[in-house]
Amino acid sequence: MEVTRVLTINLTRKLTDEQRIILNHLTYSASKLWNVANYEIIQDNIKLSELEKKLKDNFWYKNLHSQSAQAVLQKLKVAWDNFFKQHTKRPRFQPKDGHFPVKWKKDGFKIIANKLRLSLSKQTRQYLKERHGIESKFLWVELSKALPLDAMQVKEVEIVPHDIYGERFYVLHLIYKKEVNPEMSKEDKVIMAIDLGVRNLATVVIEGEKQPLIFDGKILVSKLRWFAKETARIKSIIAEQGLKTCKRLARLTVKERNYVKDYVHKISSWIIDLAKRKGVSRIIIGELNKNITKIDIGDRVNQQLHRIPYGKLVKMIEYKAEELGIKVEQIDESYTSQKCSVCGVIKKSNRKYRGLYICSNCGAVINADVNGARNILFKVVPNPERGRDSGLGNPRRVSFKALLS
């Protein structure tokens, strides 16, 4: 089975002045091309099907490699199609001095050894020579020698600009195909249930396994609280100085994003490795209620729950599970926190302080998140009587340090 994957590489620290000039020019041109095309569509001057034909002689179109220009217009087409289908709002214009991602397809790039060669248009080559004294037919980007580039079937390359507090960062996306051979599911299918939370980021119960696992989210919450506090401190300083841009604040934002990404990657890998060892063929994840974003995670810094990357965690679990042939589903978790997973009685007051669920009907005392994960499991287990002891053992808490080992 062939799957599509994206390798993300931060280019910012490695860029030379020449590379930065070229990237600024290309991403700015892509932004302008988007705006020109969007204006023509709004004015009803061009039909979606005629975009490339009508704009191929446009100044901003010719600033880009033909494939890069086509990719910008294709994104705009998709945006308008979604608007017409009432899935999204009407496509907006890019900011006046905005920058937009630039993409190269197979004929527009080449990987030579550990270097990426990106083609430039004739008009851009002329501009770079006259304005900046840069004579080059290509933009060269050096890649890490540790990357298995020979084994990767790279199909597309995209460079994405990120403007953060006045600083511009560039990220490279290598979009490639990967062959995977998922193992066939066993006849005796095992189900894993996951309950997402705050201090217990992910609580896992596996059908037929007594011991539940709790992936600790306290370190993540503490780190997010620190990032929020430090961000607020620096913002107050630059506000007093009347500044609008700040390198330190931009780098802090990037550092937070990288930390969160690494944290989520390690937890998702651990969960998938566990699923593989236990012969899991199906993972069920409780879908978070929209109102959960209103819950605070600290008094000192009013950091909202939506900063915790549940969506990223679920997506990482999904794509890693796909390679093993494990299905991932999200289900409604209504009443899973109020329902006793032992006797089935539903009572909101049974969830007690310090994360305990104490049933007033049968007297069961269970970790509240484990109780929620068990209820998620029993929503999909074919025979509820089977595996009733699943998750009733003493929980094993997995810390971030354990994920690193």
Side-chain angles (χ1 to χ4, degrees), residues 46-47 50 52 110 202 261 263 316 385:
I46 296 180
K47 295 179 181 178
E50 299 177 331
E52 293 169 16
K110 192 172 184 179
K261 182 180 177 181
Y263 194 100
M316 283 194 178
E385 292 304 317

Side-chain angles (χ1 to χ4, degrees), residues 2 10 19-20 60 73 76 83 92 119 129 140 156 192 202 242 247 286 314 332 340 360 368 377 399:
E2 194 175 62
N10 191 343
Q19 289 172 322
R20 191 173 287 278
W60 302 111
L73 298 180
L76 184 59
F83 169 70
R92 296 181 179 181
S119 298
K129 182 179 179 180
W140 291 89
E156 295 180 358
M192 171 189 281
K247 278 188 178 181
V314 172
D332 181 20
C340 176
S360 58
L377 176 66
S399 66

Side-chain angles (χ1 to χ4, degrees), residues 35-61:
N35 285 347
V36 168
N38 203 22
Y39 176 80
E40 294 295 335
I41 294 169
I42 291 171
Q43 296 299 313
D44 205 21
N45 293 332
I46 296 180
K47 295 179 181 178
L48 289 180
S49 59
E50 299 177 331
L51 274 179
E52 293 169 16
K53 182 180 178 182
K54 296 283 188 180
L55 293 176
K56 66 180 181 180
D57 293 324
N58 179 269
F59 175 81
W60 302 111
Y61 187 105

Side-chain angles (χ1 to χ4, degrees), residues 237-295:
I237 292 173
I238 64 174
E240 289 176 3
Q241 297 175 347
L243 300 174
K244 292 183 179 180
T245 63
C246 179
K247 278 188 178 181
R248 190 174 179 184
L249 193 54
R251 287 171 182 167
L252 182 68
T253 304
V254 172
K255 186 177 180 181
E256 178 183 359
R257 290 178 182 178
N258 291 340
Y259 176 85
V260 168
K261 182 180 177 181
D262 183 59
Y263 194 100
V264 170
H265 168 67
K266 287 183 169 63
I267 285 186
S268 59
S269 294
W270 217 99
I271 289 173
I272 294 302
D273 287 343
L274 175 66
K276 184 179 179 181
R277 292 198 309 271
K278 298 297 182 180
V280 171
S281 62
R282 196 172 162 206
I283 298 175
I284 309 299
I285 304 174
E287 196 170 19
L288 290 173
N289 190 298
K290 292 179 181 178
N291 293 328
I292 201 167
T293 55
K294 297 178 181 177
I295 302 172

Side-chain angles (χ1 to χ4, degrees), residues 77-91:
K77 281 183 186 178
V78 171
W80 274 100
D81 283 338
N82 287 332
F83 169 70
F84 291 137
K85 293 174 184 176
Q86 299 185 339
H87 295 327
T88 58
K89 293 181 180 180
R90 194 184 80 176

Side-chain angles (χ1 to χ4, degrees), residues 293-340:
T293 55
K294 297 178 181 177
I295 302 172
D296 291 341
I297 62 174
D299 297 327
R300 288 186 176 184
V301 179
N302 191 25
Q303 177 58 53
Q304 296 295 314
L305 186 63
H306 66 254
R307 288 175 69 96
I308 298 178
Y310 297 109
K312 285 184 179 179
L313 177 57
V314 172
K315 284 183 179 179
M316 283 194 178
I317 291 173
E318 285 176 341
Y319 93 76
K320 291 174 184 179
E322 181 186 17
E323 296 186 3
L324 298 175
I326 300 173
K327 294 180 180 179
V328 179
E329 302 170 36
Q330 284 188 274
I331 65 167
D332 181 20
E333 62 170 14
S334 300
Y335 301 106
T336 54
S337 64
Q338 301 175 26
K339 183 179 180 180
C340 176

